[in-house]
Amino acid sequence: MSNIFKFILLIEIILANLLQISFSSVVSTGNFNQDFFVTWSPSHVNTSADGRTRSLKLDQESGSGFASNQMFLFGRIDMQIKLVTGHSAGTVVAFYLTSDQPNRDEIDFEFLGNVSGQPYILQTNVFADGFDDREERIYLWFDPTKDFHTYSVLWNLHQIVFMVDWIPIRVYRNHADKGVAYPRWQPMGIKISLWNGDSWATRGGKDKVDWSKGPFIASFRNYNIDACVWNGNPRFCRAESSTNWWNKDRYSTLTSTQRRWFKWVRLHHMIYDYCQDNKRFQNNLPKECLLPKY
């Protein structure tokens, strides 16, 4: 085999590997019509002409929702959201990742509507291997109905970080080596919905949806998906590479600045932490509650 032929073959192999790696990751288009499809009540989903903004409507007829075209295994997802204004009691805006399997994995943001003048509650939850019971709740430190704010999930081999305007509000670490379930094998799609949750969402279901205040509208824009697209082979998504930047060591824990913000949120804005609910778990808290968060 000539040296020139060997060189050409080597270049082809390198290009093929680079192409395969590049296809394993995606930076989103920013166009809802291209990256998502409507899952529920198309008449209640309104998208701008350029595809850059989208709103969901809830009324007595129906709620609404949409989902990503692709499934992902690790990455970062950002979504700018403006929540339902005014009297929104009983309504739920959900932004989450889910595997939709019987033993499903799921990473949830749930925004629980309020009676006018009361603060919105942000509930987060993690499902791992079909088990949840990992709810945390905070009051947001701003009015999320006045403007758009960015809600993000960083999900990698080491940790899941929930962020609000880049401030970490929750960390769920990978303690699988200690027997704690962690979402690490199942690909997940992105789902967004607006629905009637008045059986539980506001004061445990005491405040119902007041339909005279509707229709209820939530708006979305400027999303970013920088994640590993599932192609049936987890090897590419689990690899550390320039493409899979989220798997690098620097993203294996919170930075010192992030830790300060994290502690601030939990000290001043947390209203429920399952890891402090001894009554619920009969003094037998889940194992991860006794392990480091970062």
Side-chain angles (χ1 to χ4, degrees):
M1 184 183 295
S2 70
N3 289 335
I4 293 178
F5 184 76
K6 289 180 180 178
F7 178 75
I8 293 173
L9 182 61
L10 178 62
I11 293 299
E12 288 178 345
I13 292 172
I14 292 172
L15 288 174
N17 286 334
L18 288 174
L19 192 61
Q20 195 166 24
I21 290 172
S22 68
F23 280 145
S24 72
S25 180
V26 63
V27 177
S28 50
T29 68
N31 187 321
F32 283 100
N33 292 323
Q34 295 183 25
D35 292 332
F36 295 89
F37 66 98
V38 175
T39 57
W40 183 19
S41 191
S43 64
H44 287 52
V45 181
N46 183 52
T47 308
S48 62
D50 62 2
R52 299 288 168 174
T53 61
R54 174 169 284 181
S55 64
L56 295 180
K57 181 172 71 173
L58 167 68
D59 58 20
Q60 283 183 286
E61 177 186 340
S62 179
S64 49
F66 58 96
S68 62
N69 295 326
Q70 302 280 5
M71 302 285 282
F72 309 97
L73 185 63
F74 307 130
R76 197 189 73 206
I77 316 295
D78 310 317
M79 182 70 69
Q80 286 195 354
I81 305 174
K82 184 163 69 172
L83 296 176
V84 176
T85 61
H87 188 102
S88 57
T91 69
V92 178
V93 175
F95 163 47
Y96 61 109
L97 302 174
T98 181
S99 64
D100 283 338
Q101 299 297 322
N103 293 327
R104 77 182 187 273
D105 291 337
E106 195 166 291
I107 302 170
D108 297 342
F109 278 102
E110 292 177 308
F111 303 90
L112 310 183
N114 62 350
V115 176
S116 294
Q118 297 298 312
Y120 246 93
I121 290 175
L122 169 53
Q123 174 171 285
T124 58
N125 200 0
V126 175
F127 286 70
D129 296 334
F131 295 96
D132 62 336
D133 293 337
R134 297 183 175 93
E135 300 93 343
E136 292 187 3
R137 290 184 174 188
I138 66 168
Y139 283 135
L140 293 168
W141 50 93
F142 52 84
D143 185 344
T145 71
K146 297 296 185 184
D147 203 353
F148 287 88
H149 292 267
T150 303
Y151 304 91
S152 307
V153 171
L154 172 66
W155 170 36
N156 60 31
L157 286 166
H158 314 288
Q159 60 180 352
I160 298 167
V161 183
F162 296 78
M163 292 174 281
V164 176
D165 291 335
W166 314 117
I167 293 176
I169 64 166
R170 179 175 184 175
V171 180
Y172 185 82
R173 286 204 63 76
N174 183 353
H175 289 300
D177 60 334
K178 298 178 178 64
V180 177
Y182 184 82
R184 57 192 173 126
W185 298 108
Q186 298 186 69
M188 294 194 270
I190 306 164
K191 291 192 175 183
I192 297 93
S193 58
L194 171 58
W195 47 284
N196 176 6
D198 68 6
S199 63
W200 65 276
T202 309
R203 292 205 308 139
K206 293 179 181 178
D207 295 317
K208 304 299 183 181
V209 173
D210 182 349
W211 297 111
S212 70
K213 300 292 196 299
F216 305 98
I217 306 291
S219 302
F220 309 83
R221 72 177 189 190
N222 292 348
Y223 68 89
N224 184 66
I225 305 169
D226 194 350
C228 187
V229 177
W230 177 252
N231 61 8
N233 187 344
R235 180 166 63 92
F236 296 107
C237 295
R238 298 174 68 85
E240 182 179 314
S241 67
S242 58
T243 306
N244 295 349
W245 57 266
W246 47 84
N247 284 334
K248 292 182 178 295
D249 284 344
R250 62 181 294 191
Y251 300 104
S252 63
T253 189
L254 299 183
T255 67
S256 58
T257 300
Q258 286 179 318
R259 292 180 188 188
R260 287 195 293 272
W261 279 114
F262 178 70
K263 292 175 182 177
W264 173 79
V265 170
R266 301 181 79 77
L267 178 62
H268 297 287
H269 300 282
M270 173 162 278
I271 56 175
Y272 178 79
D273 178 0
Y274 76 106
C275 281
Q276 297 178 5
D277 196 342
N278 280 295
K279 182 179 179 181
R280 176 183 181 183
F281 294 100
Q282 300 180 337
N283 293 317
N284 186 25
L285 293 173
K287 188 178 297 185
E288 68 269 16
C289 295
L290 308 177
L291 296 170
K293 292 188 180 297
Y294 49 77

